[in-house]
Amino acid sequence: MAVLGTFGRIVIKRSAPQPEVMSFGAINKAQKLYTLTQTGYRNGDLVEIASATNWPNASATDVGLVPAYVASIPPEWRDRLEMVDYTEPYPAALGSTPYKNQLYISVDQLNRIAFYRNRNSALRNVKADRESLDAIEAGDTLEFRLVNDWRIECGLKGWNLSLDAQELDTTGLGDKFFDGVKSTIKGGGTFDFIVERETIDSKNSTIISLPNYQNAVLWTGSTDVTTLLDASITNNNPDTTGNYNNASVTGVEPAPRQYELMARSGTSNLMRLLLETQDQAEADAEFWMITEEAARSGGASVVKESGDLFYRTKIIITSNAISTAAADIITGSAAFVTVREIELLEGV
């Protein structure tokens, strides 16, 4: 059976790769490359390197490296924080509070990475801009993990959901990929989506030294402040918008919410969408069957009401087309298969 509808929501995301404990034998100092043992890292990823030596800084007293970011991040962005929540502890050799620095990486076809202080260089794999690995010694312990998983939420403008896996054309998955997931496919279909372009993006973020996470932005009356583990806030005179501009966050290592904001500001929705959908992307999907007459004539702001029916499942996008012709929005269409039971639910 197939069901067609108009509204819904897709949250495109990725499965975060496992943290990588660097092996000295996998380092090529001449080429400034490291051969990964884990998979799932991508060009342009921002990673956090934990070490006991404060690498790549020359001294243990040098301040941490993080991306430059827009100082006046709009308050509405505070609900879009996406730092990867790893449960794996750091290696014992690093202790409970290792030095942490952030760099961009490039990944080549042999699963080798290079570190960069500029995302443009990482995306283009510019050899001249690679971070030197000469300071890493055989006895050093370094571990890096993904900082930001680049999830993106899209509104649906139309969809077709098949509830029977036997009816699906799975050629878009490819033979090798299909063999790995065919037992979990429950259905599939197509959808048209829309997402804001976000012109505020800083386009390219450069890694800078940032003592005490200065120029942090905090909000009055927000739970963001309470998650900083009782960090002390200095220069805390709010401006007319309620932001603590140029505040210095101290007393916490690291400041989790601030790290998320820094990583978020340098990545536009268009960049996220292109990078997430160039392979078979995962997404959480809700296909809404709006019942209220007023909602039927609504726009992108339509929300589920009590009693509204909707399908919820997890999908893998097998093919897609993206249009960037409009000035303020990105539109597109995609085909997908579902890899979890399709639940019929009711709004509350």
Side-chain angles (χ1 to χ4, degrees):
M1 182 178 77
V3 181
L4 284 69
T6 304
F7 299 112
R9 178 178 63 183
I10 298 290
V11 181
I12 301 173
K13 59 183 182 179
R14 63 192 286 192
S15 298
Q18 291 296 308
E20 173 88 10
V21 179
M22 295 181 66
S23 168
F24 184 77
I27 296 175
N28 184 331
K29 293 188 176 183
Q31 296 295 321
K32 304 178 182 178
L33 293 172
Y34 172 78
T35 301
L36 286 166
T37 59
Q38 304 292 344
T39 58
Y41 290 95
R42 302 174 181 172
N43 274 354
D45 274 348
L46 180 67
V47 299
E48 183 173 79
I49 303 105
S51 70
T53 59
N54 203 20
W55 185 86
N57 291 315
S59 170
T61 60
D62 290 345
V63 296
L65 300 176
V66 295
Y69 64 102
V70 179
S72 55
I73 300 173
E76 59 267 23
W77 282 30
R78 64 188 175 198
D79 295 324
R80 303 183 184 181
L81 306 178
E82 305 154 2
M83 192 157 183
V84 178
D85 184 18
Y86 284 102
T87 58
E88 292 83 355
Y90 290 105
L94 295 180
S96 58
T97 56
Y99 293 98
K100 299 174 185 177
N101 293 280
Q102 296 184 359
L103 293 170
Y104 296 105
I105 61 171
S106 66
V107 186
D108 67 13
Q109 293 179 337
L110 298 178
N111 208 30
R112 300 177 302 181
I113 68 168
F115 296 96
Y116 294 88
R117 301 196 184 199
N118 182 289
R119 190 174 63 184
N120 277 345
S121 296
L123 291 171
R124 294 183 292 131
N125 195 10
V126 180
K127 184 175 181 180
D129 294 340
R130 293 176 184 172
E131 193 73 20
S132 173
L133 306 178
D134 290 344
I136 301 176
E137 303 295 338
D140 293 343
T141 299
L142 294 93
E143 186 226 65
F144 61 85
R145 52 185 68 188
L146 187 68
V147 170
N148 196 303
D149 64 2
W150 287 10
R151 72 188 63 179
I152 181 171
E153 182 173 325
C154 306
L156 297 187
K157 304 300 290 181
W159 51 268
N160 180 347
L161 175 62
S162 173
L163 306 181
D164 188 352
Q166 301 302 318
E167 300 174 1
L168 301 179
D169 178 5
T170 57
T171 55
L173 290 170
D175 292 338
K176 182 177 180 181
F177 184 76
F178 181 59
D179 287 341
V181 300
K182 62 183 177 182
S183 62
T184 64
I185 290 178
K186 309 299 180 183
T190 61
F191 60 79
D192 299 319
F193 65 87
I194 183 172
V195 65
E196 293 179 358
R197 183 183 292 269
E198 286 191 0
T199 56
I200 301 172
D201 177 46
S202 60
K203 306 302 182 186
N204 179 53
S205 297
T206 300
I207 299 296
I208 60 171
S209 299
L210 197 62
N212 294 330
Y213 310 109
Q214 289 176 352
N215 302 312
V217 179
L218 302 177
W219 291 274
T220 57
S222 167
T223 55
D224 290 353
V225 178
T226 62
T227 62
L228 290 175
L229 305 180
D230 298 319
S232 59
I233 310 298
T234 61
N235 298 329
N236 56 347
N237 293 318
D239 61 18
T240 56
T241 62
N243 294 334
Y244 290 106
N245 290 323
N246 301 312
S248 174
V249 182
T250 59
V252 58
E253 177 59 39
R257 309 288 280 194
Q258 301 310 101
Y259 252 51
E260 295 170 283
L261 288 170
M262 293 173 192
R264 175 65 184 85
S265 64
T267 310
S268 67
N269 274 345
L270 180 57
M271 170 71 81
R272 290 160 180 265
L273 193 61
L274 292 172
L275 289 178
E276 293 289 13
T277 58
Q278 65 184 4
D279 298 314
Q280 281 90 6
E282 297 179 358
D284 291 327
E286 291 183 355
F287 301 98
W288 300 349
M289 292 169 282
I290 305 295
T291 58
E292 295 292 335
E293 187 64 29
R296 295 179 185 277
S297 59
S301 61
V302 170
V303 297
K304 296 193 302 294
E305 301 289 347
S306 177
D308 288 342
L309 298 178
F310 65 99
Y311 287 106
R312 184 173 66 188
T313 187
K314 182 181 289 291
I315 69 174
I316 292 180
I317 297 174
T318 58
S319 63
N320 68 95
I322 297 172
S323 172
T324 62
D328 299 325
I329 59 173
I330 303 166
T331 61
S333 59
F336 65 91
V337 295
T338 65
V339 290
R340 193 176 65 189
E341 291 294 338
I342 304 171
E343 303 173 291
L344 177 60
L345 302 174
E346 186 178 50
V348 295

